[in-house]
Amino acid sequence: MNYLLLVAGFILLIKGADYFVDGSASVAGKLRVPPLVIGLTVVAMGTSAPECAVSVAASFKGDNAVAISNVIGSNIFNLMIVCGACAVICPLAVKAKVLKQEFPLSVLATLLLLGGGALGMEIGRLDGLVLLLVFLAFLVWVVRQALKSREHENVAEEIKVQSGWLCLFYILGGIAAIVLGGDLVVDSATAIAEDFGLSQTLIGLTIVAMGTSLPELVTSVVAARKGQVDMALGNVIGSNVFNILLVLGLAGVISPMGVLMENLIDGIILVGMSVIVWIFAWCRKEISRTEGMIMIAVYAAYMGYICIR
């Protein structure tokens, strides 16, 4: 029964995020927001909603190991698999602005998490509040960038603009499905972990992390196939920033989260992988197909490591 609930939860998460992104992106299209900004904000927020639902639900239930592991695991999956798969489909051209601003910010967010977690081995309410304040500053900065650039860039033509009522239905229906799906995933994944004697950290890093990252994978791959590499890359970077600053910030404020040594190790691995991808992108201002395959191989090796440790 737990397996059926897990599958049902993932379906609700994926479809809910899909409708939420469609509705939100349509609203953004009406406002003529550039593709990169859509990826960093609207699409990133929509595809990060499953992580938010799972981690916040886990925090309410006291399953904090799932919350932290889910976010770190999702960010590693986003960076190596989502970016890697997109690069294999279509080499990802990376703007200098992304390399100098958005990418370093995603690394900084991880370092903030590691610093807060290493001090006292927990993400307390004060740590969560700091993460949320940094997130608000990030949001204000992105909006200001959007206002400056909206006169010089056009919204991607592929974005389908819906009627106002349909947008509202998609957004509210998507949020409802995401919340319900997140609750089902936390309950069923925790039960399965206990049945097999597996740690919550391992479940959070694998099954839950991959499942909640499927919206990012689908959205970014579709964007890459349409040639909207700005939206694809913006989605990944934005989602990773949202996951740490907003998701763990909210979870920490709701209930202090104990940090395991494995969480710190995985966080350091995430920083290392971020640096590798950053170097790939910096060399030729793009991530090539070969580099995309290398990223996927590195993730496969990481999966092997966490399964045997």
Side-chain angles (χ1 to χ4, degrees):
M1 185 63 181
N2 285 324
Y3 294 98
L4 293 177
L5 291 175
L6 184 65
V7 172
F10 280 147
I11 291 174
L12 285 172
L13 284 171
I14 295 167
K15 295 305 296 180
D18 187 35
Y19 283 117
F20 179 81
V21 168
D22 283 347
S24 300
S26 182
V27 171
K30 290 176 181 289
L31 299 177
R32 300 181 60 80
V33 179
L36 178 61
V37 176
I38 293 175
L40 282 168
T41 54
V42 178
V43 179
M45 185 179 293
T47 55
S48 288
E51 286 89 344
C52 188
V54 168
S55 295
V56 170
S59 185
F60 272 118
K61 296 174 185 296
D63 299 326
N64 291 329
V66 169
I68 296 177
S69 300
N70 173 43
V71 165
I72 295 177
S74 292
N75 281 14
I76 292 175
F77 185 90
N78 290 345
L79 187 67
M80 306 307 284
I81 294 297
V82 177
C83 271
C86 290
V88 170
I89 294 170
C90 175
L92 291 177
V94 185
K95 293 182 178 179
K97 175 177 173 292
V98 174
L99 292 172
K100 295 177 181 178
Q101 296 179 4
E102 285 85 3
F103 218 121
L105 179 61
S106 69
V107 176
L108 176 62
T110 306
L111 292 175
L112 280 175
L113 175 63
L114 288 174
L119 295 175
M121 297 303 289
E122 78 166 9
I123 300 297
R125 288 188 170 87
L126 180 59
D127 298 313
L129 184 60
V130 170
L131 292 176
L132 287 178
L133 290 175
V134 175
F135 170 75
L136 288 176
F138 162 72
L139 210 55
V140 170
W141 173 73
V142 170
V143 170
R144 291 183 63 184
Q145 293 294 314
L147 293 176
K148 288 180 180 179
S149 60
R150 63 183 300 178
E151 296 180 357
H152 306 289
E153 296 187 51
N154 293 319
V155 178
E157 295 180 359
E158 288 79 3
I159 296 176
K160 185 178 180 181
V161 178
Q162 307 283 359
S163 67
W165 286 109
L166 190 58
C167 290
L168 183 63
F169 173 76
Y170 278 6
I171 291 171
L172 295 181
I175 291 174
I178 286 166
V179 171
L180 178 58
D183 196 45
L184 287 175
V185 167
V186 170
D187 289 342
S188 56
T190 302
I192 292 171
E194 292 173 351
D195 290 342
F196 282 89
L198 301 177
S199 69
Q200 290 186 356
T201 300
L202 180 59
I203 290 294
L205 282 168
T206 54
I207 298 173
V208 179
M210 289 183 193
T212 55
S213 289
L214 286 177
E216 282 93 339
L217 178 60
V218 174
T219 303
S220 292
V221 167
V222 169
R225 286 175 62 87
K226 292 182 177 181
Q228 291 296 326
V229 293
D230 278 356
M231 185 178 290
L233 190 60
N235 175 34
V236 171
I237 297 174
S239 291
N240 282 9
V241 172
F242 274 56
N243 287 348
I244 292 177
L245 299 182
L246 176 61
V247 175
L248 288 185
L250 281 175
V253 169
I254 292 169
S255 174
M257 299 176 288
V259 176
L260 304 175
M261 184 56 66
E262 287 86 352
N263 296 143
L264 296 180
I265 293 173
D266 292 323
I268 293 171
I269 291 174
L270 174 58
V271 172
M273 290 180 174
S274 298
V275 172
I276 291 173
V277 177
W278 198 359
I279 292 173
F280 282 168
W282 194 279
C283 290
R284 292 191 301 273
K285 299 298 184 292
E286 76 167 18
I287 301 175
S288 67
R289 287 188 172 90
T290 300
E291 290 164 341
M293 288 187 282
I294 292 173
M295 290 160 62
I296 294 173
V298 169
Y299 182 81
Y302 167 72
M303 287 297 296
Y305 158 70
I306 65 172
C307 287
I308 64 175
R309 72 179 178 187

